[in-house]
Structures are given as C-alpha cells and as structure tokens.
Amino acid sequence: MKFKAFAFIALAAVCLSVQSQAQDSLMLRKMFDEALVNGQCYENLRYLCKKIGPRLSGSAGAQKSVEWSKKLMEGYGFDQVYLQEVMVPHWVRGVKEQGIIVNGKSRVPVALAALGGSVATPANGITAQVIELQSLKDLETLGEAKIKGKIVFFNRPFDERFIETGSAYGTAGDQRNSGPGAASKYGAAAVIVRSLTSAIDDYPHTGGTNYGTNKPIPAAAISTVAANRLSDMLKQKKGEPVKFFLKTNCQTLPDVLSYNVIGEIKGSENNNKYITVGGHLDSWDLAEGAHDDGTGVMQSAEVLRIFKALGYRPKNNIRAVFFMNEENGHKGGIVYAEKAKQNKEEHIAALETDEGGFTPRGFSFTTSSRTFIKNINQQWKKLLEPYETDRLVSGGGGTDIGPLREQFPDITLIGFRPDSQRYFDIHHTPNDVFENVNKRELELGAAAIASLIYLIDQHGLNF
Ligand SMILES: [Zn+2]
C-alpha cells in the first residue's frame, strides 16, 4: 500500500510538472510573439536617441529623459510610476579637447576624448615627453625618476583570446579606471590611454576614471589608430624624444538633483516581494547612448508592457528601474538599494541589461547556492532553447544592481547576456547611435528577459 501511495504521489507530481512546463512553454511563446509583432521598444529607443540624445548625469538631456521616461511608463498604465531622488555628479567636457603628437618638426593631430571626471589642463595645454607603458605595474618598475613631468601613455591592447569581449574590457580596464590616479602618484603631468576596444579605427572611447585620493591630472583616451601611430613613432625614435600636446577643458560642477525612474506592476500574492529589471538611463555625452544603455532601459519597460498586454498578473511585484548615473558615479544603484532596505522590501531577484541590445544568448547568475547553475539548467534550459537564449551560466550582475546584494545577501543577481562581439566597437564613442541597433535583436532580448522574469515569478529561484 505504502509503495502504491508513493507511486501515486510521484505520478501526480510528474503530471503537474508536465502540465506546468506546457503552460510555461505556451506563455514564453506568447511573450516572444508579442515582442516581435507588437513590440514598442525599438520606436521608444528611437525617441530617446533622436529626440533627447546624450544624457550624461546632471545634463539637460538627462533631465529631459527622466521626464519623458516617467510619461512613457505612465502611458502604459503600470500600477505605479514614480521618481526616486538621487544626487549625481555633474561633470562637463567643455570645449572639445585637443591632442597632437609632436615628433621633431612634425605635428600630428589625433582623435581623443577626455575621460569622465578628468580635470582641465592649463589654458595653453600641456606639452611633455611621452612614456609608453603596458600596465600600472610598469609605474612601480620605472619609478618617479622616469615618470615625473611626463605624459604617461597606457597602451596595453585588448586580449583578443577572450571569446566574450566583456572579459577583455574588464582586464584592460584598469588603465582607464585607475591608470591616471596611479600615474599621478609618480608625478606624471597627464595620462593618455589607448581606447578600450578591439576595433582599429579613429573613434576615441571615453569612460570614467577614478583618481581615488591621488591628485587629479588631465586624462584622455586616444583612438586605437592614434595609439598605434604614437607607439610606432616612439619605437622608431632616435634623438629628440617624442612629445604630446594635450589640452582638455573639462570641469566638475556641484552635484545635481536627478532621479531613478521606476515603474511597477503589483504582485497578486506576495505584496512585499520584488523582482527588479533595469538598465541605466544616463549615457556618455559623446553620443546617443543607444546600446549603452538606451536598449537596456527600453527593454526593461517592454518587459512590463508585455506582461500587461498578455494580461499576465504576476505573483510578486515587478519593477522596471531606469537607473541614473551608472556611467560616472553609480549613485542611482546605491540609492535604490538603500531605499529598498529602508522600506523593508524583500528583494528576491534583480536583472540588469547593460551589455548592448544585441542578439540574446542567455543569462548569468550570482547566488549563494552551489547547485544553482546545474539545477536551473535542468529545469529551464529546455524552455529557453527554442529562442536560443538558453545559456545559463554563473557570475551575473551589473553595476546598478550590485548594491542590492549588500543589502539583501540572499538575492539572486542576473546579467542579461547578449552576443558581445560588436559592443566594444561602439561603446562610449560618438558611434553609439540608434542606427547601430537592430530591431529584431532588441525585441528578442526584451522577450528573453520577459521570459526569465516570468519563470522566476512563477516558480522562484530555489535551485
Ligand atoms: Zn552601460
């Protein structure tokens, strides 16, 4: 008898699970259909890029984008749409920067862009001898005697062996992130950095730099074409040393009041549990911030829109968050996590989409469970396979959702992982424009994210 009862319960469980899988698979199909047939994220992105444009924290563009995003989400009829106050840094580039290689009598202008947070050179610019380094460690090896008064040129290229280009960006990034501060310690006059990209072209890639407690010195990124040229000149040089003329006009103004923009669909069962899906609304000043990260915020709003369009009432509260100030301060993410804690909310998962609006491949996860990746693949991979978004790997998250884990140690952080091969060709350059976003790729990404959020909402993440 006992065995029979057990067999019956087991059979019932299998039937239930088969039924639930069938329901899930039907729902995922509907979500992809909705995104691909009635999708709105592409046209929303067009507006954000073409009518608003660059949105660096503290700028008029950023403020405009906040107001427009709020209206957009209100128009979708989400249960709640509101602004969350965030004080943000206000750095301005000023008049376009200038860089010239001075090699004996020849003067070669180069494409460059001041790094976010950089200070200005004196009004007449700086001209100094260039010293090329491959790493921050070289500073230590050479010491102050060889570096003082010179312009340090960090020229370590992307490591092309990485399959996912985010890893190459990560390992080359210290040159831009902390190179200027480190060089300042040794008395460097300024820093120029090879742009963080595999592409060999004439677009400079800006990005933030952090001096830490070191004295700020002028810092700029030069295009990879310019970096190769300068490096060649340094190698061939005999006699008088190669110099560089740098003029930057940037400054940091007082902090400005800005906002995260939040849209929410209320949960039907768990009124204090939250799942966040977000990207960042701010962008660098040089371009439209299409892939970085207009696509991410527009996908986040699209997830909630898809739920509403299909009449799906989630069990948990689902939030789309347009974070402010990811690029040069991360203040939006920090405030969001602090407020969540203060309000005693329970955050079970957060997903960030900030790696471009390219073809979705899957998701990465940061959790405390060691069996998570194995089990999630067993349970959900099959459901995602038809959409080619089934790569479920460990190590996910993002800058804006990272602070949530400090406040909620049990939260699962998720990174949306699209194809990464073209992202760093345009990242932080004047070429990050709407025209470089593909409609279907963007919509497939939104549907993939909606699918995963739906599965989490239905079944939780106890893997
Ligand atoms: Zn970004």
Side-chain angles (χ1 to χ4, degrees), residues 359-380:
T359 307
R361 297 281 189 228
F363 302 91
S364 55
F365 301 83
T366 295
T367 97
S368 331
S369 160
R370 281 200 206 149
T371 52
F372 187 94
I373 294 299
K374 185 171 150 247
N375 291 342
I376 196 174
N377 273 288
Q378 255 169 21
Q379 302 275 329
W380 291 357

Side-chain angles (χ1 to χ4, degrees), residues 280 292-293 326-327 354 423:
H280 64 88
D292 189 14
D293 183 23
E326 191 273 345
E327 295 292 7
D354 186 18
Y423 188 45

Side-chain angles (χ1 to χ4, degrees), residues 293-306:
D293 183 23
T295 53
V297 284
M298 292 305 114
Q299 284 175 329
S300 302
E302 184 76 351
V303 168
L304 269 60
R305 190 198 68 76
I306 290 171

